[in-house]
Amino acid sequence: MGRYVVRRIIQAIPVILGATFLIYALVFLLPGDPITALAGEKRADPTVVAVLQERYHLNDPFFVQYWYYLSHLFTGDFGEDYRGNAVVDVMSAAFPYTINLALTALGIEMAVGVTAGVAAALKRGRFIDNVVMISTLMVISIPVFVIGFVLQLVLGVKLKTDYGFDFFPVSFNEEAGFRSYLMPAYVLASTSLAYVARLTRASLIEVMRADYVRTAVAKGLSPFRVVVRHGLRNALIPIVTFLGMDLGGLMGGAVITEGIFNIPGVGHQLFQSVYLRERTIVVGIVSALVLVYLFANLVVDLLYAVLDPRIRYE
Amino acid sequence: MSEPTKSDDLVVPAAEPAGPVSLPGQAVGEPSAAAGQEPGEAPAATLTKAPAEAPAQAPAEAPAETTGKPGKPGKADTERVASLWTDAWYDLRRNPLFLIGALLVAFMVALAIAPQLFTGKDPQSAGFCQLADSLKRPSADHWFGFDVQGCDVYTRTVWGARNSIVVGMLTTTLVVLVGGALGLLAGWVGGFWDSLLSRVTEIFFAIPLLLGGMLIMANFQKGNAFTVSMVMAVLGWPQIYRLMRSAVLSNKHNDYVVAAKALGAGTSRILGRHILPNAVAPVIVVSTINLGVYIGAEAALSYLGIGIQSPAISWGLMISDAQARFLSAPHVLLFPAVVLSITVLAFIMLGDAVRDALDPKLR
C-alpha cells in the first residue's frame, strides 16, 4: 500500500511537469505585455518598465524564464505577481471559497445523484425511472450558466419578492455562511449530478442481477440492507471513479459559477489574471488544480480497495 | 461489445466483397440520411436475424441487398448472419429517442445550411436593428421579441445555428481524425510511441476543457468558429485516442488478426479490415454525444467573451448579452438558451440511442 502510493506519486511527477510546462507556454504566448497591462490606460515610465522587466526576467528567452519559475517552484515558492504580491497569498485567499464550493457541490452530487439513481434503478421502467432519466437528460443539455441565471431569478429573487422566503442570497454573501454556497454549488454540480444519477442507475441495475444479491434476498435480509450493503457498495466503483475525475472539473468549472454568483474564488481570480496577463498567478492556480485532480484520482484508486476487498495494492 | 463483429469477421473471409469494412460505413451513413424515414419503411439493411418480427419484410428486402454485392447472388439471406450494424439499425428505427433526436438534428442542420428558408431577414443587413424596438416582448410578427439593441431575436437565433453546428461538427471531425490516428499508432506500434502519447494524454486529461480553452482562446484577438473548433480539438483528442488505443490493444492479439497476418495481410489491410471495424462503434457513440458537449462548450466560451466574437452570431454570445437585463426581459435570454439546449439534447439523445443499439449487453 505504502509502496503503491509512493509509486503513484513518482508517476505523477512527469504529468505535473508537463502540465505546468504546457500552461506556462500557453500563458507565455498570450499577446500583450504584462507591464503595460499593469499601468492600465496611462503610459508607463520607461525606466520603471525596464526595472520591472529586469526583475521578472521578461527579456530572457522562454526556456530561461521557465527554468527560473521551475527552480523556484521546487523550493515551494510560487513566485510573485507583477504587483509584488506573493502568488501563494493570492491563492490562499481564493482557494478556501472554491474548496467550500466544490466540496458542497460534491456533497450535493453524492446525496441527490446517488439517491435519484438508486430510486430509478429499483423502479426500473416505472414512473420514477422515467422522471429521473428524462430530467437528467434535460439538465445535461441546458448550459450551466442558464441554470445559474434561472435559479438565481427563481430562488434568489422571486422566492423573496413573491413569497417572502429569504433563504438563498442572490449573490455570494460572506455573512450568510454555508447558505451562500448552496445555490451556486447546486448550479456547479448540476451537470455532474445528472451523470452520477445515470451512472448509479446503470451500475446498480447490473449489480442487482448478481448472484450474491439473490443470495442476500434469499437469506431474508431486509430490502434496505440488500440494496445498500450488497447492491450499492458493489455498484459504487464506477461512481467513485467519476466523482474523483469530476472534482478537478468542478474546481475548473467554477469560472462560470463564481462569475454568476460573485464568489471571489479561484475561478474568478483565474479569469481576471488571464486578462491582466498575470502569468505566475495563472500558472500557479492551474498547477494547483492539476495537483488536486491527480490527488483525487489517487484517493479514488485507494478507495477501490476499501469498496472491494478483492482489490489489493502491492 | 465487439462480439458480433468478431463472428462476422470469422465468417466473411471466404467472400471478400462482403467484408466488414463496407458494413459499418453503410450503417453509419444511414441513420442521418434516413432521419425522417418512417420506422416501417424498409431501408436497405436486411434483418435476417429477426424473421419472426419482420416476416413480411425480409423476403422483400433480400433482393435489394444482394444486388449490391457482386459475386454472391442469392446466397446472402441464407448465409449472412445479422451483423452488429444491421441489428443496431433494426433497433434504432424502432427507438423513439433516436427518431426524435435525428429529426431535431436534421432540423438544426437545415437551419445551419439555409437560415434564409426560416426567416426572411438578414441580421447583418443595415436597418435590421431598430432601437425603437428595444426589448419588445414576443408578438405574432416577432415570435421571440427583440433584444436590447432592437434586433429581432428569432432571426438572430436562426442565424446563430450555423456557428454552433459548424463548431460541433468541425471539432468532432478533428478530434476523431487526430485522436483516432494517434490511438491507432499507439495501440499498433506500441513501445516508445505508446508510452510517450499516453503520458501526453495524461497531461491533457488533468487540464479541464474550460480552463484550457480559456487560456488558449485568450491568445486570439478575434475568435471565430474555426479557432474555437481548433482549440477544443487540441484539448479534446485524448478521449478518442484512449478509446481507439484500447480497441486496438484488445483486438491486436485475437485469432483472426493472427490468422490474417499468417495469410500475409499487410498492416493497412489488418488495420482497415480487422481492427478499425471493432473500434468504430464506441468512437461513434462517444463522438455523437461529444458533438453536443462541444456545442455547449462553445456557448460557454462565447458566454465568457473569449469564444466567437460579435458581430458573428453565437447563442452563447446572445445569452451573455442578455444576462444584464434578465430580470426585466427574460425572453431575450431564454429563447436562444432553449434552442441551444434542444440542440445539445438532440445530439445526446442520438448518441444514447446509438449506444443502446450497439451495446449487445443491454438487449
Side-chain angles (χ1 to χ4, degrees):
Chain A
M1 171 90 172
R3 280 170 69 185
Y4 175 77
V5 173
V6 171
R7 202 170 69 224
R8 282 289 299 264
I9 290 173
I10 292 173
Q11 278 174 353
I13 290 175
V15 178
I16 298 169
L17 285 181
T20 50
F21 179 76
L22 196 67
I23 303 293
Y24 200 87
L26 284 179
V27 178
F28 190 87
L29 286 173
L30 286 183
D33 178 18
I35 306 297
T36 323
L38 196 62
E41 296 292 309
K42 281 185 285 184
R43 204 175 68 82
D45 183 347
T47 39
V48 175
V49 170
V51 168
L52 283 174
Q53 280 178 340
E54 190 57 35
R55 177 164 166 197
Y56 294 111
H57 311 294
L58 289 179
N59 294 325
D60 291 329
F62 168 68
F63 282 101
V64 177
Q65 289 196 40
Y66 179 66
W67 174 247
Y68 279 123
Y69 181 78
L70 204 61
S71 52
H72 281 116
L73 200 61
F74 275 121
T75 61
D77 178 11
F78 275 92
E80 56 181 44
D81 67 7
Y82 298 123
R83 293 146 199 267
N85 304 315
V87 172
V88 175
D89 291 343
V90 175
M91 290 205 304
S92 55
F95 257 104
Y97 296 107
T98 304
I99 290 172
N100 284 343
L101 184 67
L103 289 183
T104 315
L106 205 64
I108 293 175
E109 251 176 62
M110 284 193 275
V112 183
V114 173
T115 313
V118 170
L122 296 183
K123 303 280 176 196
R124 192 182 177 194
R126 307 263 282 278
F127 177 70
I128 181 100
D129 185 24
N130 290 330
V131 170
V132 169
M133 291 306 275
I134 292 171
S135 60
T136 49
L137 202 58
M138 285 171 67
V139 168
I140 292 172
S141 340
I142 303 175
V144 177
F145 42 95
V146 175
I147 296 180
F149 292 137
V150 173
L151 277 190
Q152 202 175 27
L153 179 68
V154 174
L155 293 182
V157 180
K158 292 285 181 198
L159 209 58
K160 201 183 306 177
T161 54
D162 297 2
Y163 301 96
F165 184 70
D166 184 9
F167 183 74
F168 299 104
V170 181
S171 173
F172 183 73
N173 176 4
E174 198 118 44
E175 285 148 27
F178 182 62
R179 260 192 311 140
S180 253
Y181 287 108
L182 279 178
M183 189 164 47
Y186 191 83
V187 172
L188 182 59
S190 55
T191 311
S192 313
L193 192 155
Y195 280 117
V196 169
R198 295 187 140 231
L199 208 55
T200 309
R201 175 184 176 275
S203 179
L204 193 60
I205 285 176
E206 183 108 14
V207 168
M208 291 304 274
R209 286 196 202 122
D211 290 341
Y212 51 80
V213 171
R214 202 191 308 133
T215 309
V217 175
K219 72 183 183 186
L221 291 184
S222 70
F224 179 81
R225 221 177 142 74
V226 171
V227 171
V228 175
R229 285 298 296 275
H230 295 261
L232 197 54
R233 182 172 169 176
N234 285 293
L236 270 181
I237 284 196
I239 303 161
V240 166
T241 311
F242 177 82
L243 289 174
M245 302 250 315
D246 195 45
L247 185 65
L250 281 181
M251 299 187 85
V255 176
I256 289 179
T257 316
E258 288 181 358
I260 295 174
F261 293 98
N262 268 322
I263 302 173
V266 168
H268 194 78
Q269 184 69 50
L270 193 65
F271 193 63
Q272 280 185 334
S273 303
V274 169
Y275 274 88
L276 291 173
R277 312 283 178 250
E278 288 286 8
R279 291 173 188 165
T280 43
I281 295 186
V282 174
V283 182
I285 288 178
V286 179
S287 313
L289 290 178
V290 170
L291 278 182
V292 169
Y293 170 85
L294 294 172
F295 179 73
N297 277 337
L298 177 60
V299 171
V300 164
D301 282 354
L302 296 179
L303 270 179
Y304 288 166
V306 177
L307 289 170
D308 188 344
R310 284 171 300 184
I311 300 174
R312 290 256 181 279
Y313 293 114
E314 293 308 324
Chain B
M1 177 172 283
S2 52
E3 284 306 319
T5 324
K6 264 186 223 162
S7 59
D8 207 35
D9 274 3
L10 286 173
V11 176
V12 163
E16 289 287 327
V21 173
S22 62
L23 281 173
Q26 191 184 17
V28 175
E30 270 166 9
S32 57
Q37 215 166 26
E38 284 292 316
E41 271 177 28
T46 43
L47 302 156
T48 39
K49 198 183 180 181
E53 282 160 89
Q57 267 179 25
E61 282 170 23
E65 178 72 9
T66 40
T67 47
K69 283 178 193 145
K72 253 186 95 185
K75 274 166 81 184
D77 49 353
T78 50
E79 211 172 70
R80 225 188 100 213
V81 184
S83 79
L84 176 67
W85 300 99
T86 49
D87 242 19
W89 178 227
Y90 180 82
D91 272 8
L92 278 179
R93 284 183 307 158
R94 278 154 189 78
N95 187 348
L97 210 65
F98 170 76
L99 295 174
I100 298 171
L103 267 180
L104 284 174
V105 167
F107 179 67
M108 289 301 165
V109 171
L111 276 187
I113 294 173
Q116 301 88 342
L117 291 179
F118 299 86
T119 168
K121 301 191 208 83
D122 178 2
Q124 308 289 13
S125 62
F128 171 70
C129 304
Q130 297 294 333
L131 271 178
D133 293 329
S134 179
L135 296 181
K136 273 192 185 159
R137 298 271 157 165
S139 62
D141 289 339
H142 301 276
W143 294 349
F144 292 1
F146 291 91
D147 69 6
V148 68
Q149 302 289 344
C151 311
D152 181 38
V153 176
Y154 173 76
T155 308
R156 279 173 62 83
T157 308
V158 166
W159 282 79
R162 184 173 288 173
N163 273 332
S164 286
I165 298 292
V166 165
V167 167
M169 301 245 170
L170 191 57
T171 311
T172 307
T173 312
L174 289 171
V175 162
V176 169
L177 286 181
V178 175
L182 290 177
L184 207 59
L185 175 76
W188 186 252
V189 179
F192 169 75
W193 289 107
D194 185 25
S195 319
L196 180 75
L197 283 169
S198 297
R199 290 293 89 72
V200 172
T201 53
E202 275 172 24
I203 294 170
F204 276 93
F205 265 109
I207 302 172
L209 178 70
L210 201 60
L211 281 194
M214 202 168 89
L215 286 183
I216 309 179
M217 282 310 295
N219 287 312
F220 295 103
Q221 297 296 333
K222 275 264 170 235
N224 55 37
F226 182 71
T227 50
V228 172
S229 309
M230 293 296 279
V231 168
M232 288 202 295
V234 163
L235 295 163
W237 66 270
Q239 213 176 0
I240 299 296
Y241 163 86
R242 283 202 175 174
L243 273 182
M244 190 59 107
R245 175 177 173 271
S246 62
V248 174
L249 286 181
S250 62
N251 288 302
K252 198 169 156 179
H253 299 294
N254 277 348
D255 288 346
Y256 59 85
V257 175
V258 178
K261 222 184 249 176
L263 287 170
T267 307
S268 59
R269 188 181 167 80
I270 291 175
L271 288 181
R273 281 265 158 128
H274 302 288
I275 304 270
L276 273 182
N278 283 308
V280 167
V283 169
I284 288 177
V285 170
V286 171
S287 304
T288 318
I289 295 178
N290 273 351
L291 217 155
V293 174
Y294 292 138
I295 290 176
E298 178 274 314
L301 285 174
S302 299
Y303 163 78
L304 284 173
I306 44 180
I308 291 171
Q309 305 285 333
S310 171
I313 302 172
S314 148
W315 293 329
L317 209 56
M318 289 172 74
I319 293 169
S320 167
D321 289 342
Q323 63 164 318
R325 287 170 193 78
F326 184 43
L327 267 180
S328 54
H331 64 274
V332 185
L333 190 150
L334 288 180
F335 282 115
V338 167
V339 177
L340 169 61
S341 307
I342 290 176
T343 312
V344 177
L345 182 71
F347 282 105
I348 292 178
M349 269 162 56
L350 210 61
D352 258 12
V354 174
R355 184 190 44 216
D356 289 352
L358 287 178
D359 191 349
K361 269 190 284 182
L362 288 172
R363 294 231 178 93

